[in-house]
Amino acid sequence: MSKEMSTEKKNIPEKEEKGYKVELYLYDLSQGMAKAMSMGLLGKQIDGIWHTGVVVYGSEYFYGGGIQASSPGMTQAGSPVQRLPLGVTYITQDVFHDFLRSVADQYSPRTYNLLTNNCNNFSDAVSNFLLDRPIPKHITDLPRVALSTPMGQMFRPMLENMQNQMGGVVPWGDSPINLPIINNNPPMALPSDFRGVPIDGKESGGGGGGGAGGKEVATSSSKTKEIDEEKARKEEGKVDLKKHPHLQLKLRVVKSDAKPIMSKDGDYKRFVAIVKAHNKKLLKNAASRCLSNDEVGALESFTESFSNPAVAVPLAVTQAIIKLIMKWPGPLLFPPLGLYQAIMLRDAQRKVLVKQYKVIIPKLIAIVSEEKAKDTVQMMALCVFLNMFANSNLSTLLTSDEAFMDMLVNALESESGFVKTSAARLAFNAALSLPKDGGSDGVIQLASILPSVCMEHSTTTTKGGNLAIMLRAIGQLMFCNDEACEVVGAMDFKPSDVVSSFKGSKVLLKIQNAASDVDALLKDVTD
């Protein structure tokens, strides 16, 4: 089963992983008229009336008569006037196609709207899915800027006619969604390949850069930037922890430099063997859910390296595991999740996950939240989350995600001992990551639920390991956090009463130490 181990930062150089190159192709539907006439007609300079397509995996995806794809630059719109490099994605083509099928109703011939649901809105949605950031805003804002003016209305008949022509031309068949076959050799690139790329006479910098019309063009995921901006906004009102009175208390287990609990399972050879067996059975009736021979071979060749965090994980291995998690039925997910738990021990993989957050995290939350799911599968999904907390950006994203925090609260109240044990450890990790300066719903959620779960735990089980971890979680949550102290202090929670239920237990000392620290923090609230 899962074992605890504290994280250690290793001095291992990070190696860039190749991903799939993503570009935005721009077409001027006015064929130069907008640039020549816009200033006189609208009083604004507009360089083009843009139609866009996203080029990735060797195909161009666009919205015309439904979701379509073609060879790059070979659509009815003619030749692109600009090709903007957007970045590198690590999402596989089959997962991307699943996403497109899920939004096909939103981008159908019937739902097209010139101002609010057009080809550029589709490209924007695709960019957000693949790279977690939008296309340049001046493209999506164009209809509002140009067509909302009285003179701008003269362009509307021409644009509608062009769009109607495109809607009638379907490169592959006549259904509302037409996707290419999976490309086994798509164009690849490194994130650094997009640094310094000239776009409209401007150069992108180290972490992003100039774009068309002075707008920023993405070179990687925006998640890290969003996190940095959020931290900067909070910096002005941040609590000075160096002066907090809790630092003067003599605490036993609650620490200012506490490390998150990690999960490691050494039975990876068995996990790979089970994956092979399940994959072979599924090939008979559900081949689309299965790994290819090359993907199975990639997993097998990496079997001995899963347990060594110093060994980088090949992209083919990561993609195979994610494919299993996304496509396999719930009862079969224990071994794929066990393998994903292993690669989450590597910081390089955690950094990749920051870019894939919207793809992977909702799926893992759904696995834990499924009422009829096997508790062992739910437990292993929670163990995957445990290992994410070694990355500060992932920790920030998770603890500010309402769906994640709701999942954690529900898992703490689970009737399964497996689930509750992993949830207790995850609550400890979340307590370490939650902000200390107030205003966090997550702080209030955990501060409200953990004491109740502790009191219930002391009366329903004789196993004290979970209780010790939950008491430590309460202590870490309260430490230097006035908001958490107020919430816990307002509850009728007496740690000493909980301890008395475990006299003679092997973990009594751990429970006593954690309870003593919580008592000290509660006393500090009442004094």
Side-chain angles (χ1 to χ4, degrees), residues 295-452:
E295 289 169 326
V296 172
L299 283 182
E300 284 187 297
S301 64
F302 197 72
T303 300
E304 300 300 328
S305 300
F306 274 110
S307 59
N308 186 356
V311 179
V313 183
L315 181 61
V317 173
T318 304
Q319 291 175 342
I321 295 171
I322 292 175
K323 181 178 180 179
L324 295 177
I325 293 172
M326 300 298 290
K327 290 181 172 290
W328 273 16
L332 304 184
L333 287 177
F334 185 83
L337 289 170
L339 297 176
Y340 200 48
Q341 166 202 232
I343 67 174
M344 277 299 111
L345 291 169
R346 296 155 169 83
D347 193 49
Q349 290 295 317
R350 292 189 289 262
K351 288 178 179 178
V352 169
L353 184 57
V354 172
K355 303 171 186 177
Q356 295 184 329
Y357 188 92
K358 290 184 178 179
V359 180
I360 307 300
I361 299 303
K363 177 64 175 180
L364 293 175
I365 291 174
I367 291 170
V368 177
S369 304
E370 173 58 48
E371 292 183 5
K372 297 181 179 180
K374 290 184 177 180
D375 58 356
T376 51
V377 171
Q378 293 173 313
M379 175 205 70
M380 190 58 81
L382 290 169
C383 288
V384 174
F385 279 120
L386 280 175
N387 293 349
M388 295 178 190
F389 276 83
N391 179 284
S392 60
N393 286 343
L394 266 179
S395 302
T396 300
L397 288 171
L398 289 169
T399 52
S400 59
D401 188 330
E402 182 179 349
F404 171 80
M405 293 303 298
D406 288 344
M407 175 211 73
L408 175 55
V409 168
N410 290 332
L412 285 168
E413 297 178 314
S414 172
E415 296 180 359
S416 166
F418 286 137
V419 174
K420 186 166 286 188
T421 295
S422 296
R425 295 170 178 170
L426 191 55
F428 176 84
N429 286 2
L432 295 181
S433 178
L434 283 162
K436 300 289 187 182
D437 48 4
S440 169
D441 291 338
V443 169
I444 296 174
Q445 277 183 288
L446 277 191
S448 301
I449 189 66
L450 281 172
S452 299

Side-chain angles (χ1 to χ4, degrees), residues 149-262:
T149 64
M151 292 299 293
Q153 295 297 320
M154 70 174 291
F155 286 106
R156 187 183 294 270
M158 177 186 67
L159 294 177
E160 289 178 341
N161 181 60
M162 182 65 179
Q163 289 290 347
N164 288 336
Q165 290 179 19
M166 290 188 65
V169 177
V170 182
W172 289 302
D174 56 0
S175 64
I177 180 168
N178 292 274
L179 303 178
I181 61 173
I182 299 299
N183 187 351
N184 293 322
N185 189 29
M188 307 288 283
L190 293 169
S192 57
D193 293 340
F194 286 83
R195 299 186 184 119
V197 176
I199 304 172
D200 281 3
K202 299 182 183 263
E203 287 195 2
S204 60
K215 302 296 179 181
E216 182 182 11
V217 175
T219 57
S220 63
S221 167
S222 65
K223 277 295 179 187
T224 302
K225 181 179 177 182
E226 291 175 4
I227 295 166
D228 291 342
E229 290 175 347
E230 179 66 20
K231 289 178 178 177
R233 283 193 291 271
K234 292 183 177 180
E235 195 66 34
E236 185 176 348
K238 191 175 182 180
V239 175
D240 187 356
L241 297 183
K242 294 181 180 179
K243 298 179 181 179
H244 201 283
H246 285 177
L247 296 174
Q248 307 304 316
L249 298 175
K250 293 183 179 181
L251 303 175
R252 301 178 184 182
V253 294
V254 173
K255 301 176 182 179
S256 60
D257 60 349
K259 304 296 182 184
I261 297 170
M262 305 297 283

Side-chain angles (χ1 to χ4, degrees), residues 39-50:
M39 182 61 72
L41 293 174
L42 304 176
K44 297 178 182 179
Q45 181 60 46
I46 294 175
D47 291 334
I49 303 296
W50 305 122

